[in-house]
Amino acid sequence: MNVLRGIDEWRRFRAALTGSLGFVPTLGGLHEGHAALIQRAAADNDLAVVSLFLNPTQFNDPGDLASYPASLEDDLAHAEAQGAGAVLAPDREAIYADGFRYKVEEAPLSGELCGAHRPGHFSGVLTVVLKLLNLVKPDRAYFGEKDYQQLELIRGMAEAFFIDSEIVACPTVRDADGLALSSRNARLDAAGRALAPRLREALACPGSDGQVADALSRLGFDVDYVATRFGRRLAAASIPTRSPEGSVRLIDNIPLERVRSASDASGGDPS
Ligand code: PAF
């Protein structure tokens, strides 16, 4: 597997490539959810490329950035084991040589749902994804449906800026108990880990979004929102932990077809 750290080094590598390229952008902290994206990129294309870049501009909370669990050594081994042929792992100065003077702004969706609770987050995401798509020039770029609002925004940006890469959506990968895989899950303590799958369960319960939010609050979640958009029910909620970093924020969503109707629900009350 080729590991490229510099922008010029990457450009030379890219210029010499023939065949199709599938791209999986990541923050690092690779887990089985990323594994599915990398395997898909490798299966669909002649070469799968993974980027490892802990993008500071999308973290509105410095504590969240500082505690993000990414290890270059582990991530390189993981990417290679899943079939990546190359990894692009640039440093912050290389990606933000402009000091983040130039940025992608979108409205109104960037200010809603997660955007309402994480000011500037989606501007950081869209800016880095545009930079990476311009550098990597993939035929296809792979994103997980867990971050559904992000996926919608990236699709819209690719269309608005005439990006030639196909944006490929991949299903959420879950643990056996239904918890959506996320790098942040590693920060849950035992009680938090036991509570976390209830987020997915609650999303599937009948009743209004407000009722689901109330039920999650009763369970001990600190709820940012439960909302129906894009033909899906989406939620973001935090679980308090005893670790110094404080609470762990989880997001999840399911298609509305998976929301049980009141008549087929065994319990009815999500709590
Ligand atoms: O979903 C992520 O991991 C990040 O938001 C992304 C798309 C890699 C941009 O930094």
Side-chain angles (χ1 to χ4, degrees):
M1 188 178 74
N2 295 278
V3 180
L4 302 119
R5 303 299 307 262
I7 302 295
D8 290 342
E9 190 190 1
W10 165 261
R11 283 190 156 133
R12 281 192 296 277
F13 178 79
R14 179 68 183 98
L17 290 178
T18 54
S20 61
L21 192 161
F23 177 44
V24 181
T26 80
L27 294 164
L30 301 190
H31 51 66
E32 290 309 303
H34 296 110
L37 301 179
I38 300 168
Q39 287 165 16
R40 173 90 188 270
D44 291 355
N45 300 279
D46 296 312
L47 182 76
V49 175
V50 175
S51 65
L52 302 173
F53 182 65
L54 188 53
N55 175 35
T57 65
Q58 70 185 78
F59 286 83
N60 55 307
D61 171 0
D64 192 23
L65 174 62
S67 62
Y68 195 85
S71 140
L72 181 63
E73 203 183 322
D74 291 353
D75 288 338
L76 290 176
H78 194 101
E80 184 163 27
Q82 305 311 321
V87 165
L88 171 63
D91 62 26
R92 290 181 188 175
E93 291 68 32
I95 291 293
Y96 288 110
D98 64 331
F100 198 40
R101 284 175 55 222
Y102 296 90
K103 51 191 89 166
V104 179
E105 296 284 355
E106 185 277 349
L109 180 54
S110 291
E112 299 166 11
L113 304 172
C114 282
H117 298 270
R118 302 186 68 189
H121 167 66
F122 286 118
S123 179
V125 169
L126 292 175
T127 302
V128 81
V129 170
L130 184 62
K131 285 174 184 262
L132 291 169
L133 290 175
N134 279 333
L135 271 175
V136 174
K137 301 189 197 313
D139 296 278
R140 300 178 191 85
Y142 296 81
F143 296 89
E145 288 183 341
K146 182 176 78 67
D147 298 282
Y148 207 87
Q149 185 179 7
Q150 166 176 286
L151 172 65
E152 284 287 322
L153 285 162
I154 290 170
R155 275 186 183 132
M157 177 181 73
E159 204 178 316
F161 289 111
F162 309 106
I163 300 288
D164 286 332
S165 313
E166 181 189 348
I167 305 300
V168 182
C170 298
T172 302
V173 180
R174 298 181 181 280
D175 267 335
D177 59 8
L179 175 63
L181 297 191
S182 163
S183 307
R184 290 189 179 82
N185 295 353
R187 289 179 38 215
L188 290 165
D189 57 22
R193 180 62 190 79
L195 178 60
R198 306 296 295 272
L199 179 62
R200 159 71 182 74
E201 277 171 39
L203 282 175
C205 284
S208 67
D209 293 339
Q211 286 171 316
V212 171
D214 289 346
L216 285 167
S217 300
R218 287 197 296 278
L219 284 167
F221 287 88
D222 184 5
V223 180
D224 280 354
Y225 65 85
V226 177
T228 298
R229 294 286 292 274
F230 323 118
R232 306 178 85 91
R233 182 181 263 168
L234 307 97
S238 300
I239 296 182
T241 70
R242 284 193 212 93
S243 69
E245 295 95 22
S247 63
V248 177
R249 187 172 185 274
L250 304 177
I251 60 173
D252 205 343
N253 70 87
I254 58 170
L256 287 181
E257 309 86 83
R258 301 230 188 99
V259 175
R260 288 179 288 147
S261 66
S263 56
D264 64 15
S266 48
D269 180 350
S271 60

